[in-house]
Amino acid sequence: MESTKVLRTFGDFFTERGHHQITGSTLRPEPGDPVLFTTSGMHPLTPYLDGRRRHPQRRLTNRQRCLRTTDLEEVGDRTHLTVFEMLGSWSLGDYSHEQSLRWGFELLTEGFGLDRLYVTVFGGNDELGPDLDSERVWHELGLSVERLVDDNWWSNGPTGPCGPDSEIFVWTGDTEPEGTPSTDSRWVEVWNHVHMRFHRYDDGLLRPVTPPNVDTGMGFERLLMLLQGVNSVYETDLFEPWTEHVNRLWHPDERSFRLLTDHLRSSIVVIGDGVRPSNTGQGYVLRRLIRRCLTTLYRLDPSYGLEELPVEVIEHTTGHFGQPDDPGSIRELLLDEERRFRRLIDRGRDRVLRLHQRGPLTETDFTFLHETHGLPREVVESVLPV
């Protein structure tokens, strides 16, 4: 099932069940929002989920691009991306959590043809008992259930909306399913259904919300990986132009290919949403993504550079995300940032050599190079002689 058909199948399923399709927002939150970037599909809907605003529709669905810097160190495995998309559905005080679970099962099995599913539910703690209602629904649908605690309690922070959730996993192993989601990593999470039926207040107490909301989020790229029967998100049709050009241009090993592809693609999306490189805030995240990419590229071969990157992959990326930016201007911005980085390395090489003459670099040296000369540790260790 190609990516365009997956998006259409998801959207049609919920539209047919009375959900209003809303347009996913950019990666940049509204002014005044304390987070740098949109980190989840539900983030733009937070004012409606916590009761600050009232939405004219009670059933919603969308496709939202997100960015998480917390996953940067995990990029390079088969499922994590810096910029990714979430497919979401919401009930704002309308239908029940149990109905959401049944629809989720129907779409995954009948709409997408997935099988070998396993689910986890909230197993209870000192405040609340186990989520027996969700467990009952899953058993009625014929699925195995694992009870967990922290992994199946959703919250958006120390206070605010919260509640138990059900996570749906798909078996990706070559053998018959083994173990459970918490004991075997071949169970890959694809969809989370949150029952937002509580609010935690400043005094730490939980109080029920009436009526409760339902929030679901499904990783689009992971879903594609499962539907297309490939080993990683990078092998789906969504990444075909990147696979062709990155491998042909720079001949990276698998992990380097994934990091180069992820960071370049993410940088293009961030630029397309209006962010420009800087030393603070959103611009610093963009600069860090570009420089992590360049560090990987130079480690492969110091002669490699972004000059070889064709406009085609930029056009493919901005087209998929529906961004209006001119691909040529995005490419020029990337090249300008590379030129800045090369000058930084040229200036830093002599400073690093002088420090290294005294012996191996210390933590104090790394801190000095970063704070005084803008040379992150990963750059010093990977690109400059130490």
Side-chain angles (χ1 to χ4, degrees):
M1 187 178 289
E2 294 182 349
S3 54
T4 52
K5 185 176 181 181
V6 172
L7 291 171
R8 186 168 61 251
T9 300
F10 180 88
D12 289 348
F13 181 89
F14 282 102
T15 300
E16 290 166 3
R17 286 154 184 77
H19 290 69
H20 177 72
Q21 285 204 12
I22 56 177
T23 303
S25 64
T26 73
L27 291 171
R28 306 176 74 177
E30 293 183 359
D33 196 311
V35 302
L36 286 177
F37 291 101
T38 298
T39 57
S40 65
M42 58 77 63
H43 189 90
L45 292 170
T46 302
Y48 306 107
L49 293 168
D50 65 14
R52 282 178 288 149
R53 299 182 194 169
R54 183 176 294 277
H55 200 281
Q57 305 291 333
R58 298 181 67 190
R59 298 184 181 189
L60 304 173
T61 183
N62 85 341
R63 163 191 169 197
Q64 172 66 49
R65 54 183 174 269
C66 310
L67 186 154
R68 289 181 187 170
T69 56
T70 53
D71 289 341
L72 272 183
E73 299 305 323
E74 296 184 72
V75 168
D77 69 8
R78 66 194 192 111
T79 60
H80 284 89
L81 296 165
T82 305
V83 168
F84 57 96
E85 291 184 281
M86 292 297 290
L87 306 179
S89 62
W90 292 270
S91 165
L92 302 180
D94 188 7
Y95 55 81
S96 68
H97 181 62
E98 290 76 14
Q99 178 64 75
S100 177
L101 302 183
R102 293 183 186 277
W103 278 339
F105 178 81
E106 180 184 351
L107 177 56
L108 289 179
T109 57
E110 298 180 22
F112 291 130
L114 290 171
D115 56 10
R116 300 196 294 182
L117 307 180
Y118 210 124
V119 296
T120 61
V121 301
F122 180 65
N125 57 19
D126 294 340
E127 290 181 295
L128 295 170
D131 185 3
L132 298 178
D133 291 335
S134 296
E135 189 171 289
R136 172 183 51 79
V137 171
W138 292 126
H139 282 151
E140 289 176 0
L141 294 170
L143 298 186
S144 298
V145 178
E146 180 180 23
R147 291 184 182 182
L148 300 174
V149 180
D150 293 340
D151 288 343
N152 284 94
W153 180 263
W154 182 92
S155 64
N156 200 30
T159 61
C162 54
D165 64 56
S166 281
E167 296 180 345
I168 308 173
F169 293 77
V170 178
W171 178 252
T172 62
D174 296 329
T175 66
E176 287 299 307
E178 301 175 18
T180 67
S182 70
T183 63
D184 196 316
S185 62
R186 289 174 291 181
W187 288 107
V188 173
E189 180 196 347
V190 64
W191 205 353
N192 189 17
H193 290 242
V194 181
H195 194 187
M196 290 187 182
R197 60 189 183 96
F198 293 102
H199 190 104
R200 191 178 295 279
Y201 290 84
D202 291 335
D203 59 9
L205 295 178
L206 286 177
R207 295 182 177 87
V209 174
T210 304
N213 300 313
V214 177
D215 157 43
T216 85
M218 176 157 54
F220 174 50
E221 295 84 0
R222 286 192 188 185
L223 177 62
L224 280 184
M225 180 187 79
L226 297 169
L227 293 176
Q228 296 178 5
V230 293
N231 188 53
S232 79
V233 295
Y234 299 94
E235 297 170 47
T236 65
D237 68 326
L238 200 60
F239 288 86
E240 282 177 356
W242 288 97
T243 302
E244 174 189 351
H245 291 290
V246 171
N247 284 323
R248 177 178 56 81
L249 290 171
W250 301 315
H251 314 290
D253 57 75
E254 183 175 67
R255 189 170 185 86
S256 296
F257 161 77
R258 292 175 179 178
L259 191 144
L260 286 168
T261 297
D262 172 84
H263 282 18
L264 278 172
R265 181 174 178 267
S266 298
S267 297
I268 290 167
V269 179
V270 174
I271 294 169
D273 275 351
V275 178
R276 297 297 178 262
S278 70
N279 292 325
T280 60
Q282 295 173 339
Y284 177 73
V285 174
L286 173 58
R287 176 160 284 168
R288 187 181 177 203
L289 283 172
I290 297 172
R291 291 186 175 182
R292 277 172 60 92
C293 167
L294 293 171
T295 299
T296 300
L297 198 60
Y298 297 170
R299 189 168 58 240
L300 292 172
D301 188 324
S303 69
Y304 288 162
L306 299 182
E307 182 68 36
E308 298 106 334
L309 189 70
V311 173
E312 178 185 339
V313 293
I314 301 176
E315 290 175 336
H316 178 269
T317 301
T318 56
H320 172 75
F321 287 94
Q323 295 175 308
D325 258 48
D326 171 38
S329 66
I330 293 178
R331 185 174 183 274
E332 185 54 41
L333 192 149
L334 291 172
L335 293 178
D336 182 65
E337 193 64 15
E338 181 178 22
R339 288 189 285 267
R340 290 171 179 267
F341 189 55
R342 284 191 182 276
R343 291 195 294 268
L344 176 66
I345 290 176
D346 290 341
R347 292 195 304 269
R349 184 172 285 109
D350 183 58
R351 295 184 178 99
V352 171
L353 285 172
R354 286 203 300 268
L355 288 172
H356 194 56
Q357 287 173 354
R358 304 198 312 254
L361 298 185
T362 66
E363 291 300 320
T364 301
D365 292 331
F366 282 115
T367 300
F368 167 75
L369 288 169
H370 189 199
E371 294 182 352
T372 305
H373 301 295
L375 290 166
R377 183 182 188 127
E378 61 192 25
V379 173
V380 175
E381 292 180 331
S382 301
V383 180
L384 298 172
V386 295

